Amino acid sequence: MSEKLSNWFDGLSLREKILVGVAATLSALLVAIYGVYFPLTNAIHEKRVEYREALERRVTIEAMVAQASQKQAGSVVADKSGPLEQVVNQRATGAGFTLEKADAAGNGRVSISMAQARPAALMKWLAELEMAGIVAEQIEVKAGSAGTVSVNATLARGGQ
């Protein structure tokens, strides 16, 4: 095969040999640029972006842990200044949630229902309630529309 190629190249005129050499060089250059250089630089850039995002997530998580540790050290006892349904309703409103229902479920418990909530915001709110001594005894989360969820839960003061 290489002998046929060599014979073919030897049969070309000087001008044709120069043109074939230039075409081969340009082809090799294009393969090197578009087949090696660009994919490698794109992969390196994507990994740098992923690394920065991971660092940002880590800093956020560390800040949340530090904040949770401070809150936990400061007050682990639940707010005793009113009925549980009133406390839960105030905290939900403060977090930007609208409760469809917040009814006393007996024995220091409250049953809540929310039509729409963002999952991340809901989990943050539930964690804040837990830090305040209000725990979710039962929770049912169903997928909703546009990335939201609907929630039915039974909450109680910690230790009951």
Side-chain angles (χ1 to χ4, degrees), residues 14-158:
L14 179 61
R15 182 174 150 194
E16 290 172 336
K17 286 180 183 179
I18 291 172
L19 288 174
V20 168
V22 168
T25 304
L26 289 176
S27 297
L29 187 63
L30 286 174
V31 167
I33 290 173
Y34 290 105
V36 178
Y37 178 74
F38 282 157
L40 285 177
T41 55
N42 285 340
I44 289 169
H45 176 72
E46 289 172 6
K47 292 301 175 186
R48 284 182 180 159
V49 169
E50 288 175 15
Y51 179 70
R52 262 187 253 123
E53 289 172 353
L55 284 177
E56 290 172 4
R57 281 192 307 268
R58 179 180 176 177
V59 167
T60 303
I61 290 170
E62 287 175 349
M64 289 172 64
V65 167
Q67 182 182 11
S69 297
Q70 289 174 354
K71 282 184 180 179
Q72 193 172 22
S75 66
V76 177
V77 181
D79 185 13
K80 304 281 185 190
S81 64
L84 183 59
E85 52 271 5
Q86 182 181 3
V87 172
V88 170
N89 205 358
Q90 287 173 350
R91 288 182 174 264
T93 304
F97 295 118
T98 304
L99 295 179
E100 288 184 346
K101 97 174 177 179
D103 299 329
N107 211 14
R109 288 170 174 67
V110 63
S111 176
I112 66 165
S113 178
M114 244 185 274
Q116 286 187 332
R118 294 271 179 217
L122 174 67
M123 292 303 133
K124 181 180 177 188
W125 178 66
L126 289 173
E128 289 172 359
L129 284 178
E130 190 172 345
M131 297 272 232
I134 302 170
V135 295
E137 287 187 336
Q138 176 271 332
I139 187 165
E140 180 182 351
V141 180
K142 293 182 182 175
S145 62
T148 62
V149 293
S150 63
V151 181
N152 292 315
T154 302
L155 306 173
R157 293 192 195 269

